[in-house]
Amino acid sequence: MYRNAVKAERHAKSEHEEKAKDEVKRLKEQQATERREKLTIIAKYGVPFLNIGRHCLKLEHVQQLRDLRDRLRAALPLRRVKRFSDWLKTQGRPLNPLYAVTQEDIGTARHTPAPISREVASLPQAKLFLEYAKAVNAERYRVTAIKMDANGEKKVMILVKQNGESRGFTPEELVNRMPEIVKLARRGENIYYTPLSERKHHILIDDMSPEKVMQLQKDGFKPAVFLESSPNNYQCILTFPKFQGDFDREIGNRLTTILNKRYGDPKLSGAVHPHRAPGFENRKPTHERKDGTFPRVSLSYAVRQECQKS
């Protein structure tokens, strides 16, 4: 009786899995066609645009596959047959002692960190941060919230850990704080990240035009991230190792000055500098639209690499 129920359940699950494979296959074929058509057009504008287009299309396709798999997983037939151990209990039959688990076993079990909740993982800002953090590859990230008044005055708040530390969050800690960060953004705060590492520089080039974005890559620099902080205005992160010497800070500051004078904001000089967080609004008053909305910061490019040119 129990075996028949299990067999029927497995058959239903197998049918669902076959249909799911067909849907995934169809989507991949559609994506392959889209890549051929779009990249052929983009290639006419040169290699830098082709690289950015290829990467953005990849991110879009990966997200489409994730969404499809999530929908298919949600549609998976629910388990209706009880576990064999539960079925034995309903029949009044003893459990096999070989499979019994004692309270002592539970108490001495190895502790594993709690996984990121589905609610947090589903936030667009969390997904973008994980994509961004994978590319930048920093050890920690500081989160800054800045409220800008209409007259230009700023109110700055740095998120800290519960014990008062302000050295930033690990990627896992930051993702788990994302609902709190999203609430700050909804009340009108501008959200910024600052990547922090003991052994790596994470240099910001700010206020870049599309032409400067292309020139930077033509000159041999390998960015980890490009952010479109406002329409046709970009921020870039370059990651490369520190020398582990007495002059690392001075080297980072000097290089930030040189690169920003050449490609970005000539006023920017500090090696450790915040930048706008992807997925959040750029609520600078000058960017407010007629309908009262603001542009969102987009992650235009994200590749985990160190810039040897730097």
Side-chain angles (χ1 to χ4, degrees):
M1 180 179 176
Y2 179 80
R3 288 180 179 176
N4 290 338
V6 171
K7 188 176 180 180
E9 182 184 289
R10 286 177 178 170
H11 180 70
K13 184 178 179 181
S14 178
E15 283 188 341
H16 176 82
E17 288 175 346
E18 286 300 319
K19 291 179 181 178
K21 286 180 182 178
D22 289 341
E23 288 196 42
V24 171
K25 183 180 178 181
R26 281 196 296 272
L27 177 59
K28 287 183 176 180
E29 289 172 350
Q30 292 172 7
Q31 290 177 342
T33 302
E34 185 181 9
R35 280 195 297 273
R36 285 194 299 271
E37 294 174 351
K38 289 188 175 180
L39 294 180
T40 300
I41 296 171
I42 295 173
K44 298 176 182 178
Y45 298 96
V47 174
F49 274 114
L50 179 61
N51 289 337
I52 293 175
R54 184 183 290 118
H55 179 73
C56 292
L57 202 56
K58 178 183 176 182
L59 293 181
E60 182 181 334
H61 287 174
V62 167
Q63 188 59 51
Q64 288 175 353
L65 282 169
R66 284 177 183 165
D67 293 341
L68 175 60
R69 289 186 172 118
D70 286 343
R71 290 198 301 272
L72 294 171
R73 198 176 296 114
L76 188 69
L78 295 176
R79 182 182 177 89
R80 293 181 175 84
V81 180
K82 295 181 179 180
R83 294 183 181 277
F84 185 60
S85 58
D86 295 331
W87 182 80
L88 285 174
K89 290 177 184 178
T90 64
Q91 302 298 309
R93 298 168 65 177
L95 293 171
N96 186 334
L98 291 176
Y99 297 100
V101 180
T102 65
Q103 191 63 38
E104 182 181 358
D105 294 331
I106 296 173
T108 58
R110 186 175 179 180
H111 174 73
T112 56
I116 298 170
S117 70
R118 183 174 296 181
E119 177 190 0
V120 172
S122 66
L123 290 172
Q125 293 89 346
K127 293 178 181 178
L128 284 170
F129 170 75
L130 290 173
E131 222 26 83
Y132 153 88
K134 181 179 178 181
V136 175
N137 195 25
E139 296 162 14
R140 302 179 309 281
Y141 298 86
R142 183 183 296 142
V143 181
T144 306
I146 301 178
K147 184 70 175 288
M148 300 183 70
D149 296 333
N151 57 6
E153 292 185 6
K154 297 180 180 180
K155 296 179 181 178
V156 180
M157 179 180 69
I158 296 176
L159 270 67
V160 297
K161 298 180 182 180
Q162 291 181 351
N163 58 5
E165 293 182 16
S166 61
R167 296 178 66 245
F169 303 97
T170 65
E172 295 78 12
E173 290 171 340
L174 194 150
V175 168
N176 282 314
R177 296 287 291 270
M178 194 59 73
E180 175 187 348
I181 299 170
V182 170
K183 286 181 181 178
L184 289 173
R186 285 175 180 167
R187 75 180 194 187
E189 308 276 350
N190 288 273
I191 306 300
Y192 295 80
Y193 296 148
T194 307
L196 305 167
S197 294
E198 294 292 333
R199 296 183 174 274
K200 292 188 287 288
H201 286 293
H202 305 286
I203 299 296
L204 171 68
I205 306 177
D206 195 14
D207 201 19
M208 300 180 71
S209 66
E211 293 76 19
K212 291 296 185 181
V213 167
M214 292 182 63
Q215 189 62 50
L216 180 79
Q217 295 176 91
K218 285 181 179 179
D219 290 346
F221 291 95
K222 301 292 184 183
V225 158
F226 277 119
L227 298 163
E228 189 173 11
S229 54
S230 60
N232 289 320
N233 193 280
Y234 296 85
Q235 294 180 314
C236 170
I237 305 294
L238 296 170
T239 294
F240 61 95
K242 294 179 180 178
F243 289 101
Q244 301 301 309
D246 295 336
F247 301 101
D248 267 328
R249 185 180 183 86
E250 185 177 343
I251 290 169
N253 290 341
R254 180 63 177 155
L255 186 58
T256 301
T257 301
I258 292 171
L259 292 175
N260 274 278
K261 283 183 177 178
R262 188 179 301 173
Y263 301 105
D265 180 2
K267 298 178 183 178
L268 196 149
S269 58
V272 180
H273 206 284
H275 59 76
R276 291 192 176 273
F280 293 94
E281 290 180 327
N282 181 342
R283 299 186 65 86
K284 196 172 182 179
T286 54
H287 295 316
E288 185 174 4
R289 303 186 182 113
K290 292 181 180 179
D291 60 358
T293 62
F294 295 87
R296 286 187 180 274
V297 180
S298 63
L299 183 61
S300 301
Y301 178 88
V303 175
R304 185 167 181 170
Q305 59 185 352
E306 293 185 350
C307 181
Q308 298 302 319
K309 174 82 172 181
S310 297

